Amino acid sequence: MTEPWRISTTGVSIALRVTPRGGRDGIDGIEQLSDGRSVLKVRVRAVADGGEANRAVLALLAKSLGVPKASVSLLSGATSRLKQVAVEGDPARLAQALRELAPVKSTDEGN
């Protein structure tokens, strides 16, 4: 399974699948969609109303990655569960932080 983020010169862009009203704010790991794409699964307590869930997702990512909220922006998917976000910062540090937050689970050797 591939990592659901791409590194750029200014940071990383991350493919997300968001669960609003998920009971808690958290990152639930990496999931492969039926079309083969990988996404980072994120859940937030906020409801998907008036952008509340989007704001909660951006705040959660900023906190989890140790960057200011202003460094995290929604690229696409404002009204969809599938979103693309951009995180500005040191690309190598951000990618490492993401690997630690959501290790890619191996699908071989019976795991």
Side-chain angles (χ1 to χ4, degrees):
M1 190 172 350
T2 57
E3 294 175 333
W5 52 83
R6 288 195 314 276
I7 295 173
S8 70
T9 54
T10 57
V12 293
S13 67
I14 313 167
L16 304 177
R17 186 174 72 78
V18 175
T19 304
R21 293 193 319 272
R24 62 181 175 83
D25 293 350
I27 295 172
D28 289 343
I30 295 172
E31 177 180 73
Q32 192 160 16
L33 301 177
S34 57
D35 65 7
R37 288 183 300 162
S38 292
V39 292
L40 188 64
K41 294 194 316 184
V42 176
R43 66 174 61 224
V44 292
R45 287 187 298 259
V47 295
D49 184 38
E52 275 185 56
N54 288 339
R55 282 192 293 278
V57 166
L58 298 180
L60 171 65
L61 286 171
K63 182 178 175 191
S64 299
L65 295 171
V67 298
K69 285 183 190 173
S71 297
V72 185
S73 56
L74 186 65
L75 296 175
S76 65
T79 58
S80 167
R81 287 176 59 130
L82 295 175
K83 305 183 184 301
Q84 281 282 343
V85 298
V87 183
E88 290 178 30
D90 174 14
R93 192 191 70 74
L94 291 170
Q96 184 58 38
L98 283 162
R99 284 184 198 102
E100 290 168 10
L101 285 170
V104 177
K105 292 175 180 62
S106 172
T107 54
D108 50 71
E109 312 219 0
N111 287 350

